[in-house]
Amino acid sequence: MDESVAGSATRPRILLVDDEESILNSLRRLLRSQPYELVLADSGARALEIMAAQPVDLVISDARMPNMDGATLLARIHDLYPSTLRILLTGYADLDMITKAINEGRIYRYLSKPWNDEELTLTVRQALAFQHSERERQRLQVLAREQNQQLQQLNATLEKRVLARTSEVQQTADMLDLAYEELKRSYAVTAEVFSRMVEWRLPKDKQTNRAVIDLVRAWCKATQSDETDSRNLAMAAALHNIGKMGWTDGMMGAPADQLHHTERERYRGYPKQSESLLMTLEPMQDAARLILHHQERWDGSGFPDHLKGEAIPLGSRVLKLAVDFVELQHGLILERRLNSDEALLFIRKYAGRLYDPDLVEEFIRVCAEHLSDVTTGDPRVKALGTRELEAGMVLARNLNADNGMLLLNAGKVLSAALVEKLIGFEAMEGAKYSVFVKVPEEVSPLEQAT
């Protein structure tokens, strides 16, 4: 049987089932002051007739009734109307009845008779709130899937696609912003939706949110951060750049150090814009504060408030490390894309100026453990200029020219002639390379003798 859409347009409908009229009257007196529509049935058969004729949000049934007991009725309702919540009232210490109701009826709760009025009304309120939240969550998931499919099917010109996508994203953002007030428990899902919307504005090779989220989660796990701090930091990682939603496509993908004066002012305003968008959502306020300050610098030269040192929230300091590490590799900070090791060397170089010096080495260790292409965490690996190279050193990672051309493969053992060629090539290109090498371990005189 197809399930009808349950509930009144304005008030939840509750079906009370008991073969004793006095019990039904007691339940009705208790609940009639609440914003519910009450329907009464004196048997299981009558309850099923009512549910066949009209949608019901919640059923409260007595356990012991003639012909059809409460557990059987609730099991039948579960089969026919699975979204209708079910509560069992039992006046007996009947373990078999309760077990049957849980296993077959999938009940939300069971309460003993005589019931406590406060407990019963609170249970009903919580059950309906849970049901409403679950329906909203399902509705938003369907809507998000539909929006994603529509975006993927756009085949117009680039300008038309961008305009249509921006319009749909804005509509989705506005709708989710309003819906979120009623759906606070689903804020983590909402954060992921917002994060994906920001990613849609960027070319695939410039999309960074997923990498930033994974990195801060690895940090939280490695540092054993508590659940609340971990959740807030992950939320901040997902939504740190939502304030960029109104930027032009060109500005979205441009390196920060290549922006013009007017664009640079707009760039410096995005943390505040991100925080403003999120502060109206109570569960996101702590994450919004981390986002607001994630572009502050340890020496006080950052923005928007020029906070310095430990005045910057710890989560913001961690988020800056993660964001800069990922964006350096995607060409969103410098015009040249750095590899992961070069990005970590950049962070180490600016420890005490841009970054908290007490966090940098721990961050490098987390990156080395979490990412397969990081060699900086290995104490045997050094980043050297071409004139510092010596014969016998082994390349720890591929060496590429500035134009992306592969010069040498990882694992290559350097010879004196090869070092000279690298120095000459570097001079010819007008470049300056950082070469990641493993320095051979020194051999003791005793080992040489043997």
Side-chain angles (χ1 to χ4, degrees), residues 176-336:
L176 289 176
D177 191 38
L178 294 173
Y180 192 75
E181 289 295 333
E182 302 176 1
L183 204 61
K184 291 182 178 180
R185 291 188 179 183
S186 297
Y187 63 88
V189 175
T190 305
E192 293 289 343
V193 172
F194 276 124
S195 179
R196 287 197 297 271
M197 288 192 297
V198 177
E199 296 280 61
W200 289 338
R201 292 292 316 281
L202 291 164
K204 285 188 177 181
D205 64 337
K206 297 281 187 177
Q207 294 178 1
T208 60
N209 280 12
R210 185 73 263 165
V212 174
I213 294 169
D214 291 343
L215 196 52
V216 300
R217 285 178 174 165
W219 169 274
C220 292
K221 182 178 180 180
T223 57
Q224 298 182 336
S225 302
D226 66 40
E227 182 179 352
T228 300
D229 289 343
S230 298
R231 182 176 63 249
N232 288 334
L233 188 53
M235 289 274 293
L239 302 173
H240 72 278
N241 54 0
I242 193 173
K244 299 179 181 179
M245 289 285 288
W247 289 6
T248 63
D249 288 346
M251 189 173 171
M252 285 286 285
D257 69 342
Q258 298 293 308
L259 296 176
H260 298 302
H261 175 71
T262 54
E263 292 176 333
R264 189 175 298 276
E265 287 303 311
R266 192 171 188 184
Y267 174 83
R268 293 171 69 87
Y270 90 83
K272 182 65 178 177
Q273 181 68 16
S274 298
E275 185 232 17
S276 298
L277 289 171
L278 300 175
M279 281 302 291
T280 56
L281 304 173
E282 183 179 349
M284 295 186 180
Q285 288 179 357
D286 290 336
R289 180 170 174 265
L290 300 183
I291 292 171
L292 174 65
H293 296 300
H294 83 279
Q295 285 293 356
E296 305 285 1
R297 295 175 175 177
W298 186 255
D299 63 3
S301 65
F303 55 89
D305 296 331
H306 303 290
L307 298 184
K308 184 176 181 179
E310 293 187 358
I312 306 169
L314 175 61
S316 298
R317 288 177 256 156
V318 174
L319 182 58
K320 179 167 180 58
L321 286 166
V323 169
D324 284 9
F325 172 67
V326 174
E327 290 192 347
L328 282 165
Q329 296 175 72
H330 287 76
L332 293 174
I333 295 179
L334 305 176
E335 184 175 10
R336 184 173 78 88

Side-chain angles (χ1 to χ4, degrees), residues 315-368:
S316 298
R317 288 177 256 156
V318 174
L319 182 58
K320 179 167 180 58
L321 286 166
V323 169
D324 284 9
F325 172 67
V326 174
E327 290 192 347
L328 282 165
Q329 296 175 72
H330 287 76
L332 293 174
I333 295 179
L334 305 176
E335 184 175 10
R336 184 173 78 88
R337 296 189 181 204
L338 307 185
N339 61 45
S340 57
D341 283 323
E342 289 172 330
L344 291 176
L345 288 182
F346 179 95
I347 287 172
R348 181 178 279 162
K349 176 181 178 181
Y350 289 100
R353 292 172 60 188
L354 306 185
Y355 312 107
D356 181 348
D358 292 332
L359 299 182
V360 166
E361 294 306 319
E362 178 68 10
F363 179 77
I364 292 174
R365 184 185 66 80
V366 170
C367 290

Side-chain angles (χ1 to χ4, degrees), residues 81-243:
Y81 314 100
S83 72
T84 299
L85 293 177
R86 301 162 294 283
I87 296 176
L88 182 71
L89 291 177
T90 175
Y92 301 85
D94 191 338
L95 183 59
D96 291 339
M97 173 71 71
I98 294 172
T99 301
K100 181 179 179 182
I102 292 173
N103 292 338
E104 298 180 18
R106 307 288 177 86
I107 60 173
Y108 176 77
R109 284 280 300 276
Y110 72 88
L111 299 172
S112 299
K113 293 165 57 178
W115 61 80
N116 178 281
D117 286 353
E118 282 191 13
E119 182 184 9
L120 192 146
T121 55
L122 178 61
T123 299
V124 169
R125 191 178 307 120
Q126 290 175 336
L128 292 172
F130 168 79
Q131 184 182 63
H132 174 72
S133 177
E134 182 63 18
R135 287 172 177 169
E136 282 294 286
R137 183 187 65 80
Q138 293 173 358
R139 183 178 69 83
L140 287 176
Q141 286 182 334
V142 170
L143 183 59
R145 284 196 298 270
E146 291 175 352
Q147 292 288 336
N148 188 42
Q149 291 172 357
Q150 292 172 9
L151 288 171
Q152 293 175 352
Q153 293 170 358
L154 292 174
N155 293 313
T157 64
L158 178 61
E159 182 179 356
K160 290 181 179 179
R161 287 204 306 270
V162 170
L163 290 174
R165 184 184 305 176
T166 302
S167 175
E168 291 182 2
V169 166
Q170 186 60 51
Q171 290 173 10
T172 303
D174 292 343
M175 178 213 57
L176 289 176
D177 191 38
L178 294 173
Y180 192 75
E181 289 295 333
E182 302 176 1
L183 204 61
K184 291 182 178 180
R185 291 188 179 183
S186 297
Y187 63 88
V189 175
T190 305
E192 293 289 343
V193 172
F194 276 124
S195 179
R196 287 197 297 271
M197 288 192 297
V198 177
E199 296 280 61
W200 289 338
R201 292 292 316 281
L202 291 164
K204 285 188 177 181
D205 64 337
K206 297 281 187 177
Q207 294 178 1
T208 60
N209 280 12
R210 185 73 263 165
V212 174
I213 294 169
D214 291 343
L215 196 52
V216 300
R217 285 178 174 165
W219 169 274
C220 292
K221 182 178 180 180
T223 57
Q224 298 182 336
S225 302
D226 66 40
E227 182 179 352
T228 300
D229 289 343
S230 298
R231 182 176 63 249
N232 288 334
L233 188 53
M235 289 274 293
L239 302 173
H240 72 278
N241 54 0
I242 193 173

